[in-house]
Amino acid sequence: MRRVDILRHLRPDDRDQLVGFIDELAAVQGARPLSDHLWLDLVGGGAAGFVAVTATELAGDTPRLIAMAQVSAANDGVVLEVVTRPDGDLTDARPDAAAVALDLADTAIDAFRRNGGGRLTWWVDDATDAVGELAAEHGLVLERSLHEMRRPLPHPDRSAVATRAFVPGVDDSAWLTINNRAFADHGEQGGWTAATLAQRLAEPWFDADGFRLYEADGQLLGFCWTKVHAELRPPLGEIYAIAVDPAAHGRGLGRELTLAGLDSLADRGVTHANLYVDAANTAAVRLYHRLGFAVHRTRSAYSGRLGAP
Ligand SMILES: CC(C)(COP(=O)(O)OP(=O)(O)OC[C@H]1O[C@@H](n2cnc3c(N)ncnc32)[C@H](O)[C@@H]1OP(=O)(O)O)[C@@H](O)C(=O)NCCC(=O)NCCS
């Protein structure tokens, strides 16, 4: 027996139960199975637009939460994600985790429509055909696919170019120019302002030494910015942002700067590197494949503007 509940307002005990569920899965899986944005909304008790749909297993003495779908307001409409206990946790007689996830996503989308609708983006890891079909039934289209790629460290090759650490307050404007030029067509990584950069430089994880710059004749030509996730198991060293001035593309700098980032991570004792790249960014995907990165998972975003039923 399974019970499905729709929660539009979280009571403190609901909130604690859902936070505990995510924490429990994070401890088992080595990483939190919910994006930062949704996690912060959940911990904060759910801002306007919040909806959670939960599935609770009623067999046995104590009811047990087995899955949750969460809708949270974002910059552009709302974001939906679903978290389930892994398959092995459910006995054969019950629907598998994938079926539960689909069921909760369907219910959450309906609940969002009944709230008045609007723009919704559903993020799914390694989407199956069934996910694509459900998205299509709701009028959502695949808008973006993001690969997480990984490789072990150290890399057998070290970078052949000399780089130096970013100096906050000195390199900001030259860096913004190169970044915005290189990412002109790349959504959220382009169009950064001094304020966007200042915000990132103030993050607790920021380490100027892991933010490598490459200059030639006193001109900044590219960079590789790394971020260490010490809280993950294994700890991961992310290539957080990398770019080469478009005027210097195709000369091998992308490869050397990626290696400079990997060197910096390996020199800090990190044994696994990861990065996120748009599946449509063929130059970058090819570059990473050639450096021995493999796709670890693909996050897909299905989006659309949904009307009230
Ligand atoms: C991705 C980027 C850093 C590559 O820099 P680059 O200096 O031009 O790349 P390199 O000259 O070192 O090329 C390395 C490999 O990348 C691939 N590559 C580079 N440009 C490519 C292109 N336009 N099309 C296909 N593959 C390309 C090739 O596999 C190349 O290896 P090969 O020459 O042996 O085939 C650069 O295109 C860039 O700054 N893009 C904008 C920012 C960006 O997308 N960053 C990555 C975000 S995850």
Side-chain angles (χ1 to χ4, degrees):
M1 272 278 282
R2 187 155 53 89
R3 194 184 72 217
V4 172
D5 294 300
I6 301 176
L7 310 172
R8 292 173 198 276
H9 301 286
L10 285 182
R11 296 191 317 253
D13 57 330
D14 294 328
R15 190 204 76 115
D16 292 350
Q17 192 197 12
L18 296 181
V19 166
F21 174 61
I22 300 295
D23 276 342
E24 184 194 333
L25 293 189
V28 175
Q29 297 171 357
R32 197 184 294 127
L34 198 62
S35 65
D36 283 354
H37 180 73
L38 270 71
W39 169 248
L40 292 175
D41 193 32
L42 177 64
V43 170
F50 176 92
V51 181
V53 182
T54 57
T56 307
E57 195 62 72
L58 298 173
D61 294 340
T62 21
R64 185 161 181 254
L65 192 61
I66 56 166
M68 168 183 83
Q70 182 179 327
V71 172
S72 286
N75 285 345
D76 178 20
V78 300
V79 171
L80 164 66
E81 290 179 22
V82 183
V83 177
T84 50
R85 282 187 195 279
D87 253 333
D89 245 13
L90 302 169
T91 70
D92 293 336
R94 297 166 196 147
D96 65 6
V100 175
L102 280 180
D103 188 27
L104 293 197
D106 195 24
T107 307
I109 294 170
D110 283 340
F112 171 68
R113 292 190 119 120
R114 283 198 303 278
N115 268 358
R119 186 173 165 75
L120 179 139
T121 301
W122 177 20
W123 278 100
V124 190
D125 272 9
D126 297 323
T128 56
D129 288 350
V131 166
E133 283 157 22
L134 179 64
E137 276 169 34
H138 283 287
L140 302 172
V141 296
L142 180 62
E143 190 167 81
R144 214 176 151 197
S145 289
L146 207 58
H147 293 315
E148 180 188 354
M149 300 179 83
R150 292 190 183 186
R151 69 148 291 137
L153 293 177
H155 192 282
D157 300 336
R158 284 188 74 92
S159 174
V161 299
T163 58
R164 68 164 175 89
F166 180 90
V167 182
V170 173
D171 292 317
D172 303 35
S173 101
W175 180 82
L176 281 167
T177 306
I178 297 284
N179 181 76
N180 291 345
R181 213 186 276 160
F183 284 105
D185 304 323
H186 290 254
E188 68 262 27
Q189 185 64 37
W192 276 36
T193 63
T196 331
L197 177 60
Q199 207 177 31
R200 301 304 152 97
L201 299 182
E203 296 270 356
W205 55 263
F206 177 72
D207 176 358
D209 214 38
F211 188 170
R212 310 304 303 170
L213 303 186
Y214 172 74
E215 293 163 312
D217 302 325
Q219 285 279 102
L220 183 63
L221 283 190
F223 65 89
C224 183
W225 187 353
T226 63
K227 172 179 182 180
V228 175
H229 297 265
E231 75 288 0
L232 301 180
R233 284 196 324 280
L236 290 176
E238 182 181 345
I239 302 287
Y240 178 64
I242 175 168
V244 170
D245 186 337
H249 278 183
R251 295 190 212 157
L253 280 177
R255 177 179 192 278
E256 297 310 323
L257 287 176
T258 310
L259 284 173
L262 297 181
D263 291 344
S264 144
L265 292 167
D267 292 348
R268 280 176 282 165
V270 179
T271 57
H272 291 78
N274 79 331
L275 55 87
Y276 293 87
V277 59
D278 231 291
N281 188 349
T282 40
V285 171
R286 206 173 125 94
L287 167 68
Y288 302 139
H289 269 304
R290 288 179 75 102
L291 282 170
F293 279 88
V295 173
H296 176 71
R297 61 174 172 154
T298 300
R299 284 178 65 65
S300 301
Y302 294 88
S303 300
R305 183 161 288 284
L306 306 181

